Amino acid sequence: MPRFKSNKAAPSAQKARGGYYTPRVLADCLCRWAIRSPSEKVLEPSCGDGSFLDAAGRLLDEHGRITAVELVAAEIERAQQRMNGAPMQLDWRCASFFDLLAGPAYDVVVGNPPFIRFQYFDKDERARAFGFARSFGYRPNGWRTPG
């Protein structure tokens, strides 16, 4: 059977990793809704350029703490520049969110999860994500039982 080439352009690296940025007004609204105290411990599991960090940072005081997680080091650098001088404690992690699952407890999780098309979702990360979801009884689309 002949193969046909697609007229579709290859996805950008940003699109392939699911990087879409949240407008300030939306990040502000969601953080005002979620954060109840200026001293809360906040997790941002995919911080990108820091939109949610900025919004959360305007609600937290020096007792508040944010753990900012991001896979892409250049994005962390952008977020760090944006958060320079913020009063709360910031813990930067260039890692997968799944690396923190056994970590400390948080009061609130805020952020915009990556929107990754299945075919661009790294095979090992996908297995970790689906395994975690399965441990809670959820069976995401595309899940195939091993074996």
Side-chain angles (χ1 to χ4, degrees), residues 52-135:
F52 280 92
L53 301 177
D54 185 34
R58 284 185 261 111
L59 299 171
L60 300 174
D61 62 20
E62 69 276 3
H63 303 292
R65 179 177 192 87
I66 299 176
T67 300
V69 183
E70 176 57 52
L71 286 172
V72 180
E75 290 293 286
I76 288 180
E77 290 172 14
R78 288 177 62 194
Q80 286 173 328
Q81 290 173 0
R82 187 175 194 165
M83 297 304 292
N84 189 24
M88 86 298 300
Q89 302 168 53
L90 276 159
D91 180 18
W92 300 97
R93 304 282 182 97
C94 188
S96 167
F97 156 75
F98 296 108
D99 294 338
L100 300 175
L101 291 178
Y106 297 94
D107 299 309
V108 65
V109 178
V110 295
N112 184 358
F115 295 95
I116 305 169
R117 293 185 62 105
F118 191 83
Q119 67 265 31
Y120 302 128
F121 197 177
D122 177 80
K123 177 180 76 162
D124 294 333
E125 282 295 292
R126 183 174 61 226
R128 288 174 79 185
F130 285 2
F132 179 71
R134 186 171 179 232
S135 74

Side-chain angles (χ1 to χ4, degrees), residues 4-76:
F4 296 97
K5 287 189 176 184
S6 172
N7 290 334
K8 236 177 155 176
S12 67
Q14 178 182 329
K15 183 176 181 180
R17 70 177 172 79
Y20 295 91
Y21 301 99
T22 306
R24 179 178 176 165
V25 66
L26 183 55
D28 285 347
C29 179
L30 289 170
C31 284
R32 280 193 314 270
W33 174 79
I35 297 172
R36 306 293 180 182
S37 162
S39 62
E40 287 192 315
K41 294 180 190 108
V42 177
L43 171 65
E44 211 301 20
S46 56
C47 75
D49 68 349
S51 180
F52 280 92
L53 301 177
D54 185 34
R58 284 185 261 111
L59 299 171
L60 300 174
D61 62 20
E62 69 276 3
H63 303 292
R65 179 177 192 87
I66 299 176
T67 300
V69 183
E70 176 57 52
L71 286 172
V72 180
E75 290 293 286
I76 288 180

